Amino acid sequence: QVRLVESGGGWVQPGGSLRLSCTASGINYRLDSMAWHRQAPGKERELVARIYSNGTTNYVDSVKDRFTISRNNANNVVALQMNSLKPEDTGVYVCNVISGYGAYWGPGTQVTVSS
C-alpha cells in the first residue's frame, strides 16, 4: 500500500524559511515525478514545484528563486526548501508522486506565513 507522509509545516514570519519533506512508502518502482502542490483558503489547488526522475525541475512563477525542490530516489523522499516566505505562500502543502501505476497524494501539511 502506497503511503505519503509530509512533515515540516508550521508558522513562520514573512521573510522566514521552512523545509518540507515527504516520504513515499510502499513503492518499489521508479517514480516518474514528485511534486508539491498547495491550496490557499478560498483558492484552487496549484502546482508549486515538480521534479522528474532525471532531475529536471519546474516551478510556478511566484516561487521561482525562493523555493527549491529536491529528491532522494533511493529513499523516495522529496523536499521543498522555502526561503523568503510571503503571506501569500500560506496554505496546505500537499505531496504528490506519479508513476506508471498512477498518482498518489499525501494528506498535506499546513504552512502559515504571518506576522
Side-chain angles (χ1 to χ4, degrees):
Q1 182 178 358
V2 177
R3 183 180 181 215
L4 274 62
V5 178
E6 301 103 336
S7 63
W11 172 83
V12 65
Q13 292 185 333
S17 298
L18 284 174
R19 183 177 177 85
L20 306 182
S21 181
C22 171
T23 301
S25 59
I27 294 176
N28 57 5
Y29 43 81
R30 186 175 65 93
L31 293 171
D32 294 331
S33 72
M34 306 180 80
W36 288 95
H37 299 247
R38 70 184 175 194
Q39 185 159 17
K43 296 186 178 180
E44 294 186 355
R45 181 178 291 183
E46 68 171 346
L47 173 65
V48 176
R50 184 180 299 282
I51 184 167
Y52 293 87
S53 58
N54 64 359
T56 301
T57 59
N58 54 49
Y59 299 88
V60 66
D61 286 346
S62 61
V63 308
K64 286 181 179 178
D65 299 324
R66 298 190 298 122
F67 291 11
T68 302
I69 190 170
S70 60
R71 64 187 282 177
N72 181 324
N73 290 328
N75 298 320
N76 287 330
V77 174
V78 60
L80 186 69
Q81 178 65 42
M82 305 186 294
N83 299 327
S84 302
L85 282 160
K86 303 176 181 180
E88 51 264 43
D89 294 318
T90 293
V92 177
Y93 284 68
V94 183
C95 176
N96 160 244
V97 301
I98 297 177
S99 73
Y101 298 95
Y104 304 94
W105 297 84
T109 184
Q110 177 71 42
V111 171
T112 302
V113 185
S114 71
S115 54

